[in-house]
Amino acid sequence: MERGYVQIYTGNGKGKTTAALGIITRAVGNNFKIFFCQFLKGTDYGEIKTIANFPTVKHERYGRGTFIRKKEFVTDEDIKLMKEGYESLKNALLSKNYDIVIADEIFGALKYDLISLDEIKLLIKNKPEQTELILTGRNAPEEIIELADLVTEMKEIKHYFKQGVFARKGIEK
Ligand code: ATP
Ligand code: MG
């Protein structure tokens, strides 16, 4: 790519991670190299198995393999794993080895103070010219939105989660 931009997928509706995965599908078809990391996610996701067959995608997952729902549930282990994860993400981004770098649910890590606003800003400000940086997660802060080039809010109109339908295999995981 001649020039990479900063994209954000945020909001409370479904589609943030799906959007990132859609771009991966498109980019792999063009032989792009992609670094796709996920903060605070569980382990059993269909996309991980799919991506394992994509030769140009490197995938990393940061966390204990559980979805954190409350700040009280954050452990020292989580803090350590996120620090290591952030370093790995930063190194991948600065390496210029990838056309696209995706940090899925990075705003979730921010919410639980597992990474800081300054750390996210540092990524955006030091992004190599030719690398596309994609950040996802609910509640992207205004300060970060201002630094991005493309911001899409997934707005919940309806979600079956409210009817008690939790993440389903092949659809949400
Ligand atoms: P997808 O991965 O399907 O594109 P997303 O990345 O936009 O969704 P996240 O915010 O990452 O959505 O949500 C992950 C999971 O959290 C969802 O699969 C869903 O089961 C669950 N969830 C919890 N609360 C809600 C809610 N209010 N609305 C939607 N999903 C919710
Ligand atoms: Mg998501």
Side-chain angles (χ1 to χ4, degrees):
M1 264 186 295
E2 267 179 34
R3 188 185 160 186
Y5 294 89
V6 178
Q7 304 189 21
I8 292 178
Y9 295 93
T10 191
N12 63 351
K14 175 175 166 70
K16 300 173 287 295
T17 301
T18 312
L21 292 168
I23 292 169
I24 290 177
T25 310
R26 185 171 281 161
V28 167
N30 286 295
N31 291 315
F32 280 24
K33 288 188 77 182
I34 299 147
F35 184 87
F36 174 48
C37 68
Q38 299 187 288
F39 287 85
L40 303 172
K41 303 288 284 251
T43 50
D44 190 23
Y45 291 93
E47 61 255 38
I48 308 309
K49 293 173 215 161
T50 309
I51 282 167
N53 298 308
F54 288 174
T56 57
V57 182
K58 173 143 176 69
H59 176 261
E60 290 187 356
R61 185 174 55 78
Y62 311 136
R64 280 177 295 140
T66 52
F67 199 87
I68 298 173
R69 292 191 189 283
K70 279 191 172 163
K71 207 159 185 166
E72 298 91 274
F73 299 161
V74 171
T75 65
D76 289 345
E77 175 77 356
D78 289 317
I79 295 166
K80 178 175 165 282
L81 292 172
M82 286 316 131
K83 283 256 168 295
E84 290 170 5
Y86 174 78
E87 287 305 313
S88 183
L89 161 63
K90 189 173 77 183
N91 291 338
L93 180 69
L94 301 183
S95 73
K96 300 186 180 170
N97 286 340
Y98 300 97
D99 300 295
I100 305 178
V101 171
I102 302 172
D104 187 32
E105 204 53 79
I106 192 167
F107 299 123
L110 178 70
K111 178 180 172 191
Y112 296 115
D113 290 328
L114 292 164
I115 65 170
S116 68
L117 204 57
D118 282 346
E119 284 173 317
I120 300 180
K121 280 189 195 164
L122 188 146
L123 295 178
I124 296 175
K125 291 191 169 149
N126 294 285
K127 178 190 84 57
E129 178 77 15
Q130 279 127 321
T131 310
E132 189 92 0
L133 176 63
I134 302 178
L135 310 174
T136 88
R138 288 159 193 241
N139 304 308
E142 200 48 51
E143 267 185 86
I144 302 295
I145 286 175
E146 275 168 27
L147 298 173
D149 304 293
L150 180 156
V151 181
T152 297
E153 180 184 6
M154 276 67 186
K155 180 175 182 290
E156 181 192 314
I157 305 293
K158 276 191 178 184
H159 198 301
Y160 40 53
F161 184 83
K162 294 209 170 116
Q163 298 171 32
V165 180
F166 302 122
R168 291 174 299 154
K169 215 171 180 165
I171 307 293
E172 276 89 26
K173 65 182 183 184

